[in-house]
Amino acid sequence: MAVTSSMRGLRRGRALAAYVVLAVLAVWTLGPLYWMVTTSFKTNREVYGTSATLWPRQPTLANYRVLFTKTPFAVYFQNSTLIALATTAVTVLTSAFGAYALVRLRFPGRRFLARGLVYTYLVPQSLLFIPLFTILVNTGLSNTRTGLVLTYLGFTVPFCTWLLMGYFVSVPVELEEAGLVDGCSRLGVLFRIVMPVTLPALAVTAFFSFTLSWNEYLYASVFVSDVNAKTIPTGIPSFIIEDVFFWGPMMASTVLSVIPPLAVYFIFQRWLLTGLTLGAVKG
Amino acid sequence: MTPSRWDRLKNDQMVLAALFLLPTLLVLLSVVVYPFLSAVWISFQAKQAGTPGQFIGVQNYAELLGNPVFLQIVGNTIFYTAVAVAIKFTLGLLAALVLAPERRLNGLYRTVLFVPWAVPTVIAALNWRWVYDEFSGMLNNVLLALGLTKNVVAWLAEPQLAMWCVIAVAVWTGTPFYTMSFLAGLQAIPKELYEAARLDGASTLQEFRHVTVPGMQAIFLVTVMLSTVFTSTSLVIVNVLTNGAPAERTNILPNFSFNLAMGTGRLGIASAVNMIFFPLLILVILGLSRRLLAARAS
Amino acid sequence: MESPKLTRRTVLKAGAGAAAFATTTNIFTPLKTSAARDQKLVFWLQPNFNPTADRILEEQTRAFAKQAGLKDTELQILKVPGGEIPTRIAAALEVGAPPDVTRLEEGYVARMRAQKALLDITDLLTEMKKVPGGVNSAVVGLTEEGGRNFAVPMGLNPVVIHARMDLFEQAGYNTFPETWEKFIEAALKINKPPFYAYGMALGTSPGNDSTEDIMAVVWAHGGNLIDKQNKVVFNSPAAVQGFQLIKDMYLKHQIIPKGTLSWDNSGNNKAYQSKQVAVIYNPPSVYSYLLQEDKELAAKTGIFPAPGGPGGRMKRVYCDYYGVFKATPYPDIAKGLVRHLMDPKNYNEFITGTASRYLPVYPKLLEDPFWTSKKEFAGLIQIGREGETIARAGVITAALGEVVAQSLLAKSVQTVLVNNVEPAEAVAKAHAEIVAIYKRFNEPV
């Protein structure tokens, strides 16, 4: 079919509209980020009052220095990272096995468990945190990173299991049955056939576990008061109330705390879309 | 050759099922089910933090349902969730539609639009509080510099503006989730369907209505379902920005319950708030998931 | 496909499952009590909005720990901001693991006493009373129950007006206006948005100053929260007039920045220190900060009691206390820390180091040249001597502490300012809510 001039015009119009939308979205997304990043490089004088500048006139690294010398930010960063990694590792393993069992294996109570799983995800943290705190203290796990990881599993495992259930369903049963016919055990089928196919799905699971854990505030603030076990989301905000002029270093901490999730996103970007496709459409 | 015991075990579905599910069950029983039952029990008690609780039956519930402030907060929660989800949906879909076709720098755009999700919510909320700050905030400074206002605006204290400002922050942090999900969904629609529609002479709008939307129905519903849960149970944004002010106009149920529990130490009634809220949430989710099942069946 | 067989295998599995379940439930029974923790001394140090003060306190605590023979790992100093204290204490008490020592404000002393969470430290107070000049007698009453004392006073906070006298003098006033009406007159001359005259705290977050600022207006008109018999008397024409005045200041004259409704407890500090408002009503933590970090602004700042009215001109002071929680496994060490911090020599170092953030609870220390040499402190000291507590004629109880902790008055004022509720209606409703709280605490109304 020949390309008419009106068709070309329409395509150009569409492309223009797309760029306009992108520009607006970019400004909307980047505006506050711009403020955060520039404030992190401003001196106190430029930060406060209605004479606050839109671009640092006297750029300084002082805020970053304060962040690392006067606050335990490095410790918070380390804790957040360790907790997120541990949560991710345990979640991926747990939910992979659990999802496979719920989808492929036959046993009484399977349907009940599958449905119950979704409902456990719906129970909000704002409801659970008080009794959870008692449990943590009784087991000696309050104020520890291990305790925090265990409570995070409460929301990462149901969500990721549910995601993976959707993915496993999309793996054709014929593939597995071929493996079984060839003499593979069920365990072998899981490891040698199903896992490689759903690697993108596992990537999505890891991604969500990491970001959910990195982000978490409520449990971390109630269950941990020991400075050595605090995470970024809970350690930094307390300085705002304590030190009246802390916005500069606060912005510096934001800039730094964005880096790990962005890194995870970069690493998994390739698989994220395919993984989400598989799960999203079927899940 | 008879299979060994180990071989038989490797194949016995029930053994494997038990083994595979043991970690999940352990986790869920200990950090979800047991605390949940405990919270239900507490909601029927008058319990001050640090003192043993006293069983008082449904008194907590009666106090809540008879309190007009509680009802206002329920209304706020519904409004906040519905509006935030609607805006996130629209922006996310727009972004996905724009980012789906192949284009240079798409990777860069996608990363930029993803960043709000990477910032821990509490830190994002604090930053936005700074943006909205009456005297030193970016918004006021920009408006003053551009001459669009003569005086500073108290974004988080003006009764008409406060809730919208809070919603804006929820939208800012939550839209990337929609964008990513919808992008994935769009890419899953087979190109042949679009070509077929074009051959039939369909316009862009008709393509959208007859190819895109039906293909995306499942992902739409799943994303909205998850986002409804995420949004309505998150207290961080409200707590940091306004803590419910002015005059409870921005207060939502999870924040209300948190303040009751931790601010005044009234654990019993705080639990009751959650117990009223949780069934409402379940109803919404059930409704949405029923539509999801119907969509998948069709 | 294999079908499930009921064999030895399934029975074994069931048995294994039961055993697993049994061990799981065991997790929920206490394995460790608080006595098994590593630290011998846990001190929650609440920052004073003053870096020097915090440093001195920390150093003194470490010095004590060393004296007491504690290793570094056996001491834990946790910096807990005042705004987080309600959350932390609620959580800590609920699981029976409160700190050993921390600073408590009046409301908390009353609440913790009522919950029987505090340790009897009468002997400490007796020692303090032996110091020459004794202890300020007005603030000791709150610590008493059944003839024993459960906290010791550690610092007086006069609540004072911090005012930009340079601006007031420019407007033709050589001293701070004595009544609210005169204050509004002056304020209208100084008010130049975005620079506002009065940074009145009206927020509802924990630890907020809003109750102080609101009651300052109500008291000036003769109103009160409770009377001598601890009966709730809030609903009065005076309170209604007070609410009306606040409404006028906010909506009609617009001398209050609109954003105060969402300020936290450092909101008014920040506003004054970054020169956005001319007047705030706050303990002298702001003034002491200025003396150390912004001497230029300190020189322009005047300290005064709140404006008065038909009800008189009230001077307001509240006291902070050190308390030891009964759950501490090492009561002698905990008491030792309090003794060390309240020892007159250490205490004086802290008090002068904070440069007026606190007034000493030992009246004799006020004769120290630190105080007598600066004329700016004269006003502060007078307010400290003559100031009254929030209960005025009555007694601070757990219920009253709860009223303050909840920012009940601020919430009520916000309905007037935002929802157009009439002051009389708002006051009546607030009164009813206060009565409900008293009933909940089983206190007579």
Side-chain angles (χ1 to χ4, degrees):
Chain A
M1 183 158 119
V3 173
T4 65
S5 63
S6 67
M7 275 181 70
R8 242 180 278 134
L10 197 63
R11 239 180 274 165
R12 231 175 277 148
R14 239 188 277 175
L16 189 63
Y19 278 112
V20 167
V21 170
L22 267 180
V24 169
L25 285 176
V27 168
W28 156 250
T29 304
L30 291 179
L33 291 174
Y34 172 80
W35 192 243
M36 292 174 208
V37 174
T38 53
T39 304
S40 75
F41 291 113
K42 288 187 197 163
T43 61
N44 260 356
R45 195 156 303 175
E46 285 187 51
V47 173
Y48 294 93
T50 42
S51 55
T53 57
L54 284 177
W55 178 259
R57 261 171 234 147
Q58 291 175 300
T60 167
L61 282 178
N63 291 323
Y64 289 89
R65 220 177 305 135
V66 164
L67 192 65
F68 280 104
T69 55
K70 292 228 187 99
T71 77
F73 182 72
V75 174
Y76 298 160
F77 195 90
Q78 190 186 39
N79 288 336
S80 272
T81 312
L82 286 175
I83 291 173
L85 287 176
T87 309
T88 306
V90 177
T91 303
V92 170
L93 285 172
T94 312
S95 46
F97 281 119
Y100 186 73
L102 285 171
V103 169
R104 282 286 185 264
L105 302 177
R106 296 282 149 80
F107 53 93
R110 183 180 78 137
R111 211 161 287 162
F112 169 73
L113 271 179
R115 197 162 297 160
L117 194 74
V118 179
Y119 289 134
T120 55
Y121 184 62
L122 295 180
V123 182
Q125 291 167 267
S126 45
L127 190 157
L128 293 175
F129 74 96
I130 296 168
L132 261 183
F133 192 31
T134 313
I135 295 174
L136 282 185
V137 171
N138 286 343
T139 52
L141 288 172
S142 73
N143 246 344
T144 63
R145 295 177 293 201
T146 320
L148 219 49
V149 171
L150 287 175
T151 58
Y152 284 0
L153 295 176
F155 54 85
T156 55
V157 166
F159 180 62
C160 295
T161 310
W162 179 74
L163 268 181
L164 285 178
M165 274 169 65
Y167 305 143
F168 284 140
V169 159
S170 70
V171 174
V173 189
E174 297 81 46
L175 265 179
E176 288 180 60
E177 287 186 351
L180 282 173
V181 164
D182 277 347
C184 225
S185 69
R186 280 212 166 260
L187 212 57
V189 165
L190 174 63
F191 279 119
R192 259 173 270 171
I193 297 183
V194 180
M195 290 291 198
V197 171
T198 51
L199 216 48
L202 294 177
V204 176
T205 307
F207 172 74
F208 274 112
S209 300
F210 189 88
T211 49
L212 284 178
S213 161
W214 184 259
N215 234 329
E216 206 283 325
Y217 174 71
L218 183 60
Y219 285 176
S221 83
V222 177
F223 301 157
V224 172
S225 46
D226 188 345
V227 154
N228 294 325
K230 270 199 183 189
T231 58
I232 293 178
T234 52
I236 297 299
S238 63
F239 287 108
I240 292 293
I241 307 173
E242 188 184 333
D243 184 337
V244 176
F245 287 112
F246 199 71
W247 286 106
M250 242 284 301
M251 299 293 148
S253 79
T254 309
V255 171
L256 294 175
S257 66
V258 169
I259 295 175
L262 269 183
V264 172
Y265 178 71
F266 265 128
I267 297 173
F268 287 124
Q269 203 182 36
R270 210 180 351 136
W271 292 306
L272 264 181
L273 287 183
T274 18
L276 275 174
T277 313
L278 284 176
V281 179
K282 309 296 177 125
Chain B
M1 175 168 109
T2 45
S4 73
R5 193 190 224 127
W6 171 240
D7 289 325
R8 265 184 294 150
L9 271 177
K10 271 198 284 180
N11 279 313
D12 187 301
Q13 299 200 50
M14 283 187 51
V15 171
L16 282 181
L19 211 60
F20 285 5
L21 282 172
L22 194 63
T24 309
L25 284 177
L26 269 179
V27 164
L28 292 181
L29 281 176
S30 58
V31 294
V32 182
V33 177
Y34 179 72
F36 177 72
L37 295 174
S38 186
V40 174
W41 177 233
I42 293 178
S43 76
F44 291 110
Q45 301 183 326
K47 180 153 172 47
Q48 190 76 20
T51 60
Q54 284 173 304
F55 183 76
I56 54 169
V58 294
Q59 259 189 327
N60 284 332
Y61 292 91
E63 184 182 333
L64 285 173
L65 293 171
N67 185 353
V69 170
F70 177 72
L71 298 173
Q72 180 189 8
I73 295 178
V74 170
N76 286 348
T77 312
I78 297 175
F79 179 78
Y80 169 78
T81 309
V83 173
V85 166
I87 301 181
K88 284 193 264 192
F89 185 94
T90 317
L91 287 183
L93 187 56
L94 213 54
L97 285 172
V98 160
L99 286 176
E102 278 309 310
R103 172 186 289 115
R104 282 184 311 143
L105 298 183
N106 246 3
L108 179 65
Y109 291 133
R110 284 183 200 161
T111 312
V112 162
L113 289 184
F114 167 69
V115 174
W117 183 256
V119 178
T121 316
V122 70
I123 307 245
L126 280 168
N127 285 325
W128 271 95
R129 186 150 136 217
W130 188 232
V131 168
Y132 285 135
D133 190 85
E134 198 178 358
F135 297 123
S136 323
M138 175 180 94
L139 207 48
N140 279 330
N141 275 300
V142 166
L143 290 176
L144 278 176
L146 292 177
L148 289 172
T149 89
K150 256 176 282 166
N151 189 10
V152 292
V153 181
W155 297 99
L156 296 174
E158 288 285 353
Q160 320 294 353
L161 293 175
M163 185 47 123
W164 291 100
C165 292
V166 173
I167 291 177
V169 179
V171 166
W172 190 83
T173 57
T175 306
F177 178 64
Y178 281 78
T179 312
M180 289 194 310
S181 305
F182 290 170
L183 252 182
L186 280 176
Q187 301 200 325
I189 301 180
K191 301 265 191 298
E192 300 86 50
L193 288 175
Y194 283 111
E195 280 168 22
R198 227 166 290 154
L199 281 174
D200 281 346
S203 70
T204 323
L205 210 58
Q206 284 171 320
E207 260 179 44
F208 185 70
R209 267 182 59 205
H210 295 287
V211 179
T212 313
V213 172
M216 296 272 281
Q217 250 194 328
I219 185 94
F220 280 166
L221 285 167
V222 167
T223 314
V224 168
M225 216 167 86
L226 288 176
S227 176
T228 305
V229 175
F230 280 145
T231 309
S232 61
T233 59
S234 163
L235 59 88
V236 169
I237 296 178
V238 168
N239 192 280
V240 168
L241 285 178
T242 61
N243 202 22
E248 310 292 8
R249 291 239 177 152
T250 58
N251 211 355
I252 58 174
L253 286 170
N255 190 51
F256 183 57
S257 150
F258 181 76
N259 281 333
L260 276 175
M262 301 318 255
T264 63
R266 296 181 67 190
L267 302 179
I269 196 173
S271 227
V273 170
N274 289 317
M275 289 306 149
I276 299 180
F277 174 48
F278 185 56
L280 287 178
L281 196 59
I282 298 278
L283 280 176
V284 171
I285 298 301
L286 277 180
L288 283 173
S289 65
R290 206 156 290 170
R291 294 194 62 195
L292 176 64
L293 287 172
R296 258 199 274 164
S298 66
Chain C
M1 186 128 94
E2 290 125 40
S3 49
K5 302 172 219 158
L6 184 64
T7 60
R8 251 182 322 173
R9 204 177 298 139
T10 42
V11 171
L12 274 175
K13 277 182 285 176
F21 184 73
T23 34
T24 318
T25 46
N26 243 340
I27 293 180
F28 306 145
T29 56
L31 289 178
K32 266 204 238 177
T33 61
S34 68
R37 61 171 205 206
D38 291 327
Q39 293 91 9
K40 294 213 171 117
L41 181 62
V42 174
F43 177 43
W44 283 10
L45 195 160
Q46 294 177 45
N48 292 289
F49 290 114
N50 184 319
T52 315
D54 299 343
R55 190 179 42 85
I56 294 178
L57 217 48
E58 206 177 326
E59 282 169 6
Q60 290 184 350
T61 308
R62 288 195 196 283
F64 166 75
K66 201 169 276 185
Q67 267 178 358
L70 259 60
K71 291 181 252 168
D72 272 341
T73 48
E74 291 175 334
L75 166 71
Q76 187 184 59
I77 302 179
L78 225 54
K79 295 237 178 101
V80 184
E84 273 184 38
I85 281 285
T87 314
R88 293 249 176 269
I89 296 234
L93 281 176
E94 176 58 11
V95 297
D100 296 331
V101 180
T102 190
R103 185 183 84 201
L104 295 168
E105 45 161 39
E106 299 169 325
Y108 262 90
V109 172
R111 261 165 76 167
M112 296 297 108
R113 234 183 54 213
Q115 281 183 225
K116 311 248 182 290
L118 295 175
L119 188 69
D120 181 336
I121 49 179
T122 314
D123 48 342
L124 283 180
L125 191 59
T126 316
E127 283 172 35
M128 282 171 64
K129 285 186 187 159
K130 294 211 183 94
V131 167
V135 175
N136 186 319
S137 50
V139 298
V140 170
L142 185 58
T143 68
E144 258 170 51
E145 180 131 354
R148 311 291 298 172
N149 301 93
F150 293 88
V152 297
M154 62 76 62
L156 290 172
N157 292 287
V159 189
V160 292
I161 291 276
H162 293 59
R164 290 284 300 274
M165 288 318 290
D166 56 327
L167 297 173
F168 277 90
E169 275 156 28
Q170 261 176 22
Y173 295 80
N174 59 2
T175 184
F176 193 76
E178 289 119 30
T179 66
W180 284 102
E181 269 72 31
K182 294 214 187 98
F183 168 69
I184 293 179
E185 255 179 52
L188 286 168
K189 297 197 187 121
I190 298 178
N191 205 47
K192 279 190 191 51
F195 180 81
Y196 286 89
Y198 184 23
M200 184 175 191
L202 288 172
T204 58
S205 61
N208 213 296
D209 297 317
S210 48
T211 310
E212 292 298 332
D213 287 28
I214 296 171
M215 283 314 290
V217 180
V218 171
W219 281 319
H221 289 85
N224 270 312
L225 278 168
I226 54 177
D227 67 7
K228 213 184 332 188
Q229 281 92 22
N230 283 340
K231 193 156 130 4
V232 179
V233 295
F234 186 64
N235 194 353
S236 61
V240 177
Q241 283 165 14
F243 272 38
Q244 181 65 48
L245 195 83
I246 298 175
K247 181 176 172 182
D248 289 341
M249 285 199 288
Y250 189 87
L251 291 175
K252 188 162 90 165
H253 306 301
Q254 303 198 351
I255 51 177
I256 299 178
K258 289 278 162 46
T260 65
L261 302 186
S262 29
W263 278 358
D264 63 21
N265 66 341
S266 66
N268 55 352
N269 299 44
K270 278 198 276 241
Y272 189 80
Q273 283 162 217
S274 39
K275 307 192 182 71
Q276 302 295 332
V277 295
V279 174
I280 58 171
Y281 188 54
N282 202 67
S285 52
V286 174
Y287 191 57
S288 78
Y289 178 90
L290 293 176
L291 283 176
Q292 291 173 337
E293 309 280 337
D294 191 342
K295 299 204 171 44
E296 197 190 315
L297 187 52
K300 298 186 197 156
T301 303
I303 305 285
F304 303 92
R313 191 173 186 185
M314 188 177 137
K315 301 188 177 60
R316 173 85 182 91
V317 74
Y318 67 84
C319 191
D320 281 342
Y321 299 79
Y322 279 134
V324 176
F325 279 90
K326 208 168 18 173
T328 173
Y330 300 95
D332 291 319
I333 299 182
K335 279 164 70 171
L337 175 63
V338 176
R339 184 181 289 122
H340 182 90
L341 292 175
M342 293 311 295
D343 167 82
K345 198 161 83 38
N346 293 332
Y347 184 66
N348 203 24
E349 187 195 353
F350 171 67
I351 287 289
T352 50
T354 66
S356 82
R357 193 262 185 267
Y358 278 117
L359 288 181
V361 295
Y362 299 117
K364 190 109 174 120
L365 288 180
L366 283 174
E367 295 167 21
D368 184 298
F370 172 80
W371 299 101
T372 54
S373 62
K374 296 191 188 57
K375 67 170 170 61
E376 305 91 29
F377 290 156
L380 209 59
I381 294 171
Q382 191 197 20
I383 297 172
R385 277 215 181 97
E386 300 169 20
E388 297 178 72
T389 73
I390 192 166
R392 294 195 81 184
V395 171
I396 299 175
T397 58
L400 194 57
E402 168 87 358
V403 171
V404 174
Q406 261 190 33
S407 300
L408 194 148
L409 294 184
K411 291 197 178 131
S412 181
V413 167
Q414 284 195 12
T415 61
V416 172
L417 300 177
V418 169
N419 292 340
N420 259 319
V421 173
E422 281 302 314
E425 196 188 320
V427 167
K429 231 175 134 236
H431 180 104
E433 283 169 20
I434 298 175
V435 169
I437 293 179
Y438 269 72
K439 289 215 174 104
R440 193 156 40 85
F441 277 80
N442 288 323
E443 291 179 26
V445 291

